[in-house]
Amino acid sequence: MLWWILLAAIAAAVLAIPFVQELRRSEPDETKAKGRFADLPSGRTHYRWFGGVRGPVAVCVHGLTTPSDVWEPFARELTDLGYRVLVYDLYGRGHSDTVPGPQSADFFVRQLKELLEDQGLDADLTLVGFSMGGAIVTAFTARYSHLVQRVVLIAPSGIEYEEEPFIRRVLGLSFFGTWLHAAVEPFRMRRALASGADEGDPQLLRVRQAQIDRSGYFPALIASRRGLLSDRLEKEHRAISMLDIPVFAFWGEED
């Protein structure tokens, strides 16, 4: 009997490791934020403006793993073309709040809509989305087309299911999948960074490392993978195709 109790205790300790590690991660340091914060109904959102006070507005939505810092070079290019550019951190990334629960299309569309309302933006927007951000832009445009003048999709999600085989298996395993993701994904991401995945871009490397160390990041990743990223947005793309809104889509064979 004692051996069974000992084995059960060891098993419980092993199962607890990734969740204890999550509890030990820290909240993002607001003093290091480059932008401002909007206290939205759904959660506090970090955002940043580039450009002057006049000109057309472009809103850039980042992807699954990298926060809005990734847009900085692109945003400066757009300001040279006369745009005012708004970037923001999705919940659980960058300096925005960790918001528990499913991260579906509704979840992300609500955050974007609330931020636009907070910033007084109600017409003629150019929406730019990268990867999962492309899926968010697509879902938003299908619902609020009257706010959108132009859509730019860069390697957008929501067209084909793109997750690698390991992640596909993890997502279908319920609690054990959640545990496995929490245990393995930090290691996989650190290994990818150490192998030089962002070689030549030290700033992006620091940003990605900071994400691994912030609380709420890995729960947000699996919530997005089980939510928005598991959906094909064929209905939304068809709806947009019926509108008088230009859509520019870009893919690269070797990014």
Side-chain angles (χ1 to χ4, degrees):
M1 185 68 175
L2 182 61
W3 284 106
W4 284 110
I5 295 174
L6 180 60
L7 289 173
I10 293 173
V14 170
L15 287 173
I17 287 173
F19 302 110
V20 171
Q21 289 177 331
E22 174 62 26
L23 291 173
R24 294 177 62 183
R25 294 188 176 102
S26 58
E27 293 291 331
D29 185 355
E30 290 191 2
T31 64
K32 296 182 179 179
K34 297 180 180 179
R36 299 182 178 183
F37 291 88
D39 292 315
L40 307 180
S42 299
R44 200 160 193 242
T45 295
H46 173 247
Y47 68 93
R48 188 180 179 191
W49 278 100
F50 295 83
V53 296
R54 297 181 181 275
V57 174
V59 183
C60 299
V61 187
H62 66 78
L64 173 69
T65 61
T66 307
S68 60
D69 302 67
V70 72
W71 287 116
E72 187 167 337
F74 183 79
R76 297 195 185 283
E77 293 286 343
L78 285 181
T79 62
D80 290 342
L81 297 175
Y83 281 91
R84 301 168 58 212
V85 182
L86 174 65
V87 304
Y88 69 101
D89 291 329
L90 300 174
Y91 291 131
R93 287 89 169 170
H95 289 86
S96 289
D97 274 355
T98 297
V99 177
Q103 294 197 355
S104 61
D106 289 341
F107 175 86
F108 289 115
V109 168
R110 186 181 309 115
Q111 182 188 19
L112 178 53
K113 183 65 162 56
E114 290 174 355
L115 179 62
L116 296 178
E117 291 174 349
D118 181 84
Q119 298 297 299
L121 302 173
D122 57 8
D124 300 330
L125 301 174
T126 294
L127 299 185
V128 184
F130 168 67
S131 188
M132 188 177 76
I136 296 169
V137 164
T138 298
F140 182 91
T141 303
R143 301 179 195 192
Y144 300 105
S145 59
H146 61 285
L147 302 179
V148 183
Q149 183 182 61
R150 182 181 297 105
V151 170
V152 180
L153 304 176
I154 305 172
S157 301
I159 297 175
E160 295 182 355
Y161 190 74
E162 302 166 341
E163 294 288 6
E164 58 187 291
F166 169 77
I167 295 296
R168 291 190 188 192
R169 289 192 289 270
V170 164
L171 298 183
L173 293 177
S174 188
F175 172 80
F176 181 66
T178 301
W179 178 87
L180 194 60
H181 186 276
V184 175
E185 194 63 359
F187 170 76
R188 281 162 40 94
M189 293 188 70
R190 290 186 189 279
R191 185 177 63 181
L193 293 179
S195 69
D198 294 309
E199 187 175 356
D201 192 341
Q203 180 179 355
L204 183 57
L205 177 61
R206 288 193 296 271
V207 167
R208 291 175 64 86
Q209 288 174 331
Q211 294 305 282
I212 296 173
D213 294 329
R214 73 150 282 179
S215 65
Y217 177 65
F218 290 103
L221 295 190
I222 195 169
S224 294
R225 284 167 164 158
R226 283 177 168 158
L228 177 59
L229 290 180
S230 67
D231 295 332
R232 290 186 61 193
L233 301 180
E234 182 177 352
K235 181 177 69 174
E236 287 79 0
H237 280 286
R238 290 186 181 277
I240 293 172
S241 72
M242 303 297 291
L243 303 170
D244 188 24
I245 296 176
V247 178
F248 304 90
F250 302 88
W251 283 268
E253 291 294 331
E254 297 180 3
D255 294 348

